[in-house]
């Protein structure tokens, strides 16, 4: 031993070494089966009528808590949004834009000046895999007195739904999507894209019949929903429309209006449940022999459009009359020949079509006596959502962790997407495949309780930082079983018990960087309390060569005393001039020694040649650091003698 130590007399050297073999052998693993497995909650989905709009989700964003109300013009009961989101601030639109004409739900907004991603969580009772209509409404109303129209992105789940932009401060922007969610929670997210603070006025969700608005794949984004031939020029929605679709009045050029006062579908409606008010009015060409023509320009040549045309005969057709027509869209004849029944609605779903411009023509058949008519029209854009949400196992685990620790960091929506991911999380990118969580940083987050077993489900985790919290309990075994874990920082907690052997092994072979210091209760070397053995002092004898000052030289030794017997471990010192350190040896700079001993704050004894300080290595190993004062010229020799005498 002494021979090995001789090489350390590197008094004036600039580098400093504490060469010590970490004594993993000292460390025993303690059982960590302290964690109960979480019980899964099976949720019963209440059965509701499809058209139960009042019972569906109607959120007036930005109204104060406890200020639910029923809108007198629609009879829809609106609730505040606190239940659906926990970030953002409530704002009123400016007074000079407010007017009685405006729906009440645009009078307030919730705005999100902080965080670049804000997500509402909607949990319809019917759950996933159902057809929902989701509508988000925005009116700027100069709520922030900046007189600057913002622009931001709207996401459903992890996929871009649309961009929200405004023509003016009183422009009410409705974004509507028909969507079949793959998960019970539907996230609606607003993303700050650097062009102004996102905000939202209202958020609504309706459940639709599953055989009505369907695309081959993907979701349907509303482009137009028009009530042709409206006589009132007013929008129609709930409760004239049981699904609360909003129908805008529209009259094409060269069209004549038709209408009936009789109710359409009084004997029972189709699955589209069309509102009679909309179906009672229609248009036909002014010149009965001409086709009915109209067109829309969406400027999206590469997207698929789905068109739903709604018809109902509103005139009494005599025996010697007939109304038969066919439909062409962009010069392609689509759909069947249309034959109508009096006051019975009929919906024709056209084949999906592409084109920047959609030009419709309804042609009277040669043997038809009456011209074509049209009562209502809906045009949707097909949006295929390629991006998949975060890996389900990861997402469940992190949700668990969030609720275990009550994390309030604006952790909303999908953990990883849309970018930026949750504060403190990093995810890998995997094309459109589900992203995985690769790092979690909950440092200084006020965590209490034990280390959550859900962490073991974050299988691809590489970096875990739970430092500077108040975590208690033992170090669970599973931490060593995370195959990719490269850094683990648990410093500054109240952990107790011992360190699992496997974890120490990974630390020792350098596959894991581990920080366990500042856990006063943590036993870093066995035998630990409960082992019914006398507690251990682990002297690390260090010779320190100070940089500017004078001190130094070091030796580190770990050992164990058991009932006055010196049971013990070894420390090896090795330094050959210019040689590489052995991989299991560690070297410390003076600055590190200062940190290890917390600036030499705890004196645990005085040796013949210097003071012994208590400290923690960065992996949490408790050490004693002996300081050798070079002013005592014979110090080095005596130091080594002492080591020899003590049997090192
Ligand atoms: C809202 O109502 C609940 C129950 O009536 C009450 O406990 C809560 O304090 C109210 N909140 C506010 C902000 O008034
Ligand atoms: C919005 O206006 C209402 C009444 O007009 C007022 O009570 C409320 O405090 C205002 N809210 C904000 C956030 O200014
Ligand atoms: C609203 O008031 C602001 C000043 O408070 C004014 O600059 C703005 O022009 C007004 N807008 C309208 C539509 O009257
Ligand atoms: C605001 O924009 C909307 C939509 O473009 C338009 O219908 C409305 O007339 C505009 N209002 C004002 C006051 O300019
Ligand atoms: C938020 O987005 C803006 C603009 O894209 C960017 O400059 C900023 O760094 C982002 N902030 C955070 C916290 O990601
Ligand atoms: C629609 O729902 C019914 C029952 O709710 C189910 O039997 C049917 O398979 C569903 N159809 C589609 C296309 O999902
Ligand atoms: C249909 O019959 C009525 C009389 O019943 C007649 O007045 C009308 O001109 C006929 N219309 C056509 C298109 O034949
Ligand atoms: C549709 O009607 C037009 C005009 O009568 C006719 O030329 C065309 O052949 C019809 N197409 C079909 C598929 O019936
Ligand atoms: C009109 O002609 C079509 C075929 O072009 C036929 O299917 C339809 O039955 C005819 N209608 C009448 C009223 O004759
Ligand atoms: C975790 O976040 C804190 C600040 O909140 C930072 O100081 C620390 O370096 C982070 N840890 C890792 C591993 O990135
Ligand atoms: C530890 O966390 C507390 C709050 O929990 C914070 O005030 C303190 O600055 C943090 N210390 C370090 C070293 O990060
Ligand atoms: C380090 O030790 C762990 C546990 O003994 C082992 O699984 C891993 O393969 C080792 N890694 C290296 C790089 O030796």
């Amino acid at each position: 031993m002494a021979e090995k130590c001789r090489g350390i007399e590197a008094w004036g050297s600039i580098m400093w070494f504490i060469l010590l073999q970490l004594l993993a052998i000292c460390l025993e693993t303690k059982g960590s089966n302290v964690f109960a497995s979480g019980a899964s909650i099976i949720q019963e989905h209440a059965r509701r009528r499809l058209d139960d709009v009042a019972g569906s989700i109607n959120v007036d964003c930005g109204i104060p808590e406890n200020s639910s109300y029923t809108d007198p013009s629609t009879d829809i009961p609106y609730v505040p949004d606190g239940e659906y989101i926990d970030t953002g601030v409530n704002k009123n639109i400016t007074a000079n834009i407010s007017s009685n004409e405006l729906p009440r739900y645009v009078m307030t907004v919730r705005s999100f000046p902080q965080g670049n991603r804000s997500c509402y969580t909607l949990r319809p009772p019917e759950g996933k895999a159902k057809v929902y209509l989701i509508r988000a409404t925005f009116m700027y109303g100069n709520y922030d007195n900046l007189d600057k129209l913002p622009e931001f992105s709207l996401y459903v789940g992890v996929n871009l739904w649309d961009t929200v932009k405004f023509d003016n401060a009183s422009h009410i922007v409705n974004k509507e999507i028909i969507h079949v969610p793959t998960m019970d929670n539907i996230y609606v997210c607003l993303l700050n894209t650097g062009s102004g603070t996102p905000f939202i006025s209202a958020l609504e969700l309706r459940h639709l019949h599953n055989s009505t608005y369907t695309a081959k794949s993907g979701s349907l984004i509303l482009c137009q929903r028009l009530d042709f031939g409206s006589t009132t020029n007013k929008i129609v929605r709930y409760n004239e429309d049981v699904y609360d679709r909003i129908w805008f009045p529209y009259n094409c050029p060269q069209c004549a209006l038709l209408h009936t006062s009789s109710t359409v579908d009084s004997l029972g409606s189709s699955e589209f449940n069309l509102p009679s008010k909309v179906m009672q009015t229609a248009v036909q060409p002014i010149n009965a022999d001409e086709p009915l023509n109209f067109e829309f320009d969406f400027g999206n040549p590469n997207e698929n459009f789905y068109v739903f045309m709604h018809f109902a005969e509103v005139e009494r057709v005599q025996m010697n009359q007939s109304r038969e027509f066919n439909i062409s869209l962009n010069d392609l004849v689509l759909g069947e020949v249309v034959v109508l029944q009096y006051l019975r609605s009929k919906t024709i779903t056209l084949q999906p079509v592409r084109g920047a411009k959609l030009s419709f023509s309804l042609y009277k058949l040669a043997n038809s006596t009456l011209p074509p008519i049209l009562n209502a029209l809906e045009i949707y854009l097909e949006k295929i959502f390629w991006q998949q949400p975060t890996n389900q196992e990861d997402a469940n685990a992190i949700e668990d962790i969030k609720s275990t620790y009550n994390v309030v960091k604006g952790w909303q929506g999908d953990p990883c997407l849309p970018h930026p991911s949750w504060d403190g999380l990093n995810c890998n990118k995997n094309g459109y495949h589900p992203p995985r969580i690769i790092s979690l940083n909950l440092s200084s987050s006020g965590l209490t309780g034990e280390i959550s077993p859900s962490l073991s489900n974050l299988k691809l985790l590489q970096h875990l930082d739970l430092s500077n919290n108040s975590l208690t309990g033992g170090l669970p075994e599973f931490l060593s079983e995370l195959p990719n874990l490269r850094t683990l920082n648990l410093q500054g907690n109240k952990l107790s018990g011992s360190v699992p052997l496997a974890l120490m092994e990974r630390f020792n072979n350098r596959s894991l960087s581990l920080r366990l210091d500042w856990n006063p209760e943590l036993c870093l070397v066995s035998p630990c309390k409960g082992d019914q053995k006398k507690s251990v002092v682990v002297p690390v004898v260090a010779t320190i060569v100070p940089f500017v000052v004078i001190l130094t030289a070091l030796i580190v030794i770990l050992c164990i005393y058991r009932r006055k017997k010196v049971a013990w471990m070894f420390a090896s010192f090795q330094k050959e001039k210019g040689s590489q350190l052995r991989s299991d040896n560690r070297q410390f700079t003076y600055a590190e020694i200062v940190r290890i001993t917390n600036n030499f704050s705890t004196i645990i004894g005085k040796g013949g040649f210097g003071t012994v300080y208590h400290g923690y290595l960065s992996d949490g190993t408790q050490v004693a650091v002996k300081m050798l004062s070079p002013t005592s010229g014979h110090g080095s020799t005596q130091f080594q003698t002492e080591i020899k005498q003590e049997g090192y």
Side-chain angles (χ1 to χ4, degrees):
M1 197 72 197
E3 288 149 24
K4 282 189 178 175
C5 291
R6 204 163 287 149
I8 291 184
E9 292 167 323
W11 286 98
S13 94
I14 288 172
M15 287 303 292
W16 313 71
F17 300 97
I18 292 177
L19 307 171
L20 91 117
Q21 180 132 9
L22 285 163
L23 303 178
I25 308 151
C26 292
L27 308 169
E28 277 171 20
T29 357
K30 253 189 168 180
S32 61
N33 309 334
V34 284
F35 304 109
S37 63
S40 62
I41 296 161
I42 296 157
Q43 208 182 336
E44 286 247 342
H45 290 149
R47 289 213 161 258
R48 279 197 306 117
R49 275 166 34 137
L50 288 177
D51 55 6
D52 181 13
V53 165
S56 64
I57 297 174
N58 310 293
V59 183
D60 181 349
C61 308
I63 60 173
E65 221 186 304
N66 289 359
S67 58
S68 303
Y69 65 92
T70 297
D71 189 308
S73 63
T74 58
D75 277 346
I76 297 174
Y78 286 94
V79 298
D81 53 0
E83 189 189 325
Y84 303 94
I85 195 160
D86 49 25
T87 55
V89 290
N90 291 352
K91 295 282 186 180
N92 290 334
I93 63 167
T94 53
N96 60 2
I97 286 173
S98 305
S99 90
N100 293 335
E101 303 278 293
L102 292 171
R104 181 164 164 186
Y105 56 78
V106 301
M107 302 299 213
T108 57
V109 302
R110 186 178 284 254
S111 131
F112 303 95
Q114 259 143 26
N116 280 351
R117 160 158 72 119
S118 312
C119 297
Y120 280 80
T121 305
L122 307 179
R123 294 180 201 86
E126 298 83 6
K128 63 184 172 189
K130 301 288 191 305
V131 183
Y132 296 103
L133 180 158
I134 306 167
R135 180 166 51 226
T137 306
F138 309 85
M139 194 189 90
Y140 172 56
N142 196 19
Y143 75 87
D144 53 5
N145 290 317
L146 294 177
D147 242 327
K148 196 160 179 292
L149 300 171
E151 188 178 319
F152 48 89
S153 294
L154 178 64
Y155 278 71
V156 60
V158 297
N159 285 280
L160 181 64
W161 167 359
D162 212 339
T163 298
V164 180
K165 43 188 162 192
F166 303 89
D167 290 346
N168 55 56
S170 53
H171 182 194
I172 299 177
V173 173
N174 272 314
K175 297 292 179 188
E176 211 176 290
I177 192 168
I178 293 174
H179 180 57
V180 179
T182 53
M183 294 189 301
D184 289 338
N185 282 350
I186 303 172
Y187 303 122
V188 175
C189 302
L190 307 175
L191 210 72
N192 187 336
T193 50
S195 311
T197 302
F199 72 89
I200 184 167
S201 306
L203 192 54
E204 295 161 300
L205 177 141
R206 316 282 177 239
H207 185 192
L208 301 180
H209 196 286
N210 67 0
S211 67
T212 51
Y213 300 96
T214 50
K216 280 201 197 79
S217 50
S219 302
L220 295 174
I221 290 179
L222 181 68
C223 300
Q224 293 286 357
R225 183 182 291 124
L226 302 173
D227 172 10
F228 278 73
S230 169
T231 48
T232 57
N233 227 28
K234 290 209 167 108
I235 63 159
V236 174
R237 64 178 294 184
Y238 191 74
N239 47 26
E240 277 146 347
D241 186 332
V242 293
Y243 286 155
D244 193 30
R245 286 158 293 198
I246 300 179
W247 301 85
F248 287 87
Y250 182 79
N251 290 312
C252 41
Q254 309 299 309
C255 292
L257 311 190
L258 299 174
H259 73 98
T260 176
S261 50
S262 308
T263 306
V264 176
D265 288 334
S266 59
L267 300 174
S269 52
S270 71
E271 284 158 349
F272 281 89
N273 250 313
L274 297 162
S276 178
K277 184 103 177 258
V278 168
M279 299 309 288
Q280 278 169 305
T281 63
V283 293
Q284 66 182 25
I286 290 174
N287 180 340
D289 290 323
E290 292 288 311
L292 180 61
N293 294 321
F294 51 93
E295 67 178 31
F296 298 96
D297 191 345
F298 297 115
N300 263 334
N302 301 316
E303 313 267 13
N304 268 343
F305 289 94
Y306 279 72
V307 177
F308 301 87
M309 303 183 93
H310 306 292
F311 304 95
E313 184 55 77
V314 292
E315 289 186 323
R316 287 195 179 276
V317 177
Q318 303 302 317
M319 289 297 282
N320 60 356
Q321 294 178 315
S322 70
R323 192 192 305 276
E324 289 176 53
F325 52 94
N326 67 26
I327 304 161
S328 91
L329 174 50
N330 293 357
D331 297 329
L332 295 167
V333 175
L334 299 164
E336 63 221 81
V337 168
V338 185
V339 185
L340 303 177
Q341 283 178 278
Y342 185 55
L343 302 182
R344 292 288 304 242
S345 65
K346 175 187 184 104
T347 295
I348 302 224
T349 305
L350 304 190
Q351 303 294 321
V353 68
R354 277 173 188 234
K357 212 182 244 185
L358 300 187
S359 301
F360 294 84
S361 294
L362 279 63
Y363 295 101
K364 176 170 91 94
L365 293 193
N367 58 2
S368 172
T369 60
L370 297 172
I373 63 167
L374 176 62
N375 307 60
L377 172 74
E378 290 173 271
I379 303 172
Y380 294 87
L381 184 71
E382 182 186 39
K383 192 96 174 180
I384 299 178
F385 287 158
W386 296 107
Q387 179 61 59
Q388 293 182 278
T390 300
N391 172 278
Q392 195 58 51
E393 210 186 332
D394 281 7
N396 290 343
I398 199 73
E399 282 289 354
D400 244 38
I401 290 161
K402 173 183 165 185
S403 63
T404 303
Y405 294 130
N406 229 332
V407 180
V408 276
K409 277 189 158 195
W411 276 16
Q412 303 158 340
D414 183 88
C416 296
L417 293 169
H419 195 75
S421 51
W422 286 359
D423 196 17
L425 283 193
N426 269 318
C427 304
N428 67 2
K429 297 225 166 47
N430 196 4
Y432 289 128
H433 297 295
R436 303 291 304 254
I437 296 170
I438 56 169
S439 91
L440 172 60
N441 186 349
L442 283 174
S443 154
S444 307
S445 301
L447 311 187
T448 56
E450 295 180 336
I451 293 177
S452 168
S454 300
L455 286 165
S456 67
N457 295 329
L458 296 175
K459 290 279 189 290
L460 295 197
L461 201 62
Q462 296 172 7
H463 307 283
L464 177 60
D465 188 343
L466 301 176
S467 62
N468 192 25
N469 286 299
S470 301
L471 294 170
T472 51
L475 269 183
E477 191 78 42
F478 65 72
L479 289 173
S480 64
E481 285 154 17
L482 289 169
N484 297 333
L485 195 64
R486 293 212 304 270
T487 63
L488 174 60
N489 189 348
L490 298 171
Q491 125 191 85
N493 278 289
K494 297 174 179 161
L495 297 168
S496 54
S498 56
V499 183
L501 190 58
L503 211 53
M504 276 324 282
E505 271 171 19
R506 289 187 55 181
F507 170 72
N508 284 343
N509 72 12
R510 306 243 162 159
S511 60
L512 177 67
S513 141
L514 184 62
R515 305 205 53 167
L516 298 171
D517 42 338
W518 315 115
N519 280 287
E521 304 280 299
L522 197 61
C523 172
L524 296 151
V525 280
S526 82
C528 292
K529 267 183 207 157
D531 293 355
Q532 291 184 328
K533 285 166 193 165
K534 204 180 172 190
S535 75
V536 190
V537 177
V538 188
V540 173
V541 185
T543 310
I544 302 172
V545 188
F547 203 46
V548 185
V549 201
I550 335 107
L551 306 169
T552 46
L554 55 77
I555 298 164
V556 181
I557 289 177
L558 266 77
C559 79
I560 294 175
Y561 297 92
R562 299 188 180 190
R563 303 207 166 172
K564 292 181 184 171
K565 275 188 201 162
V566 185
W568 83 277
M569 319 310 313
F570 58 92
S572 85
F573 302 84
Q574 181 175 322
K575 189 221 164 213
E576 287 150 284
K577 267 182 194 155
S579 74
Q580 285 287 96
L581 291 173
R582 282 218 321 252
S583 68
D584 51 359
N585 287 333
R586 302 192 51 199
Q587 76 181 47
F588 299 88
T589 63
Y590 181 68
E592 280 175 315
I593 293 295
V594 169
R595 218 192 55 70
I596 285 168
T597 60
N598 195 17
N599 202 16
F600 306 106
S601 58
T602 313
I603 297 171
I604 55 174
K606 298 225 177 190
F609 57 88
T611 313
V612 187
Y613 298 93
H614 178 260
Y616 291 97
L617 298 187
S618 60
D619 64 343
T621 308
Q622 293 191 59
V623 296
V625 177
K626 274 195 181 183
M627 294 298 295
L628 176 57
S629 163
T631 53
S632 58
H634 60 291
S636 173
T637 337
Q638 190 185 331
F639 181 78
Q640 288 171 31
T641 314
E642 187 180 314
I643 287 169
K644 233 186 278 178
Q645 282 167 351
E646 285 178 12
Y648 295 113

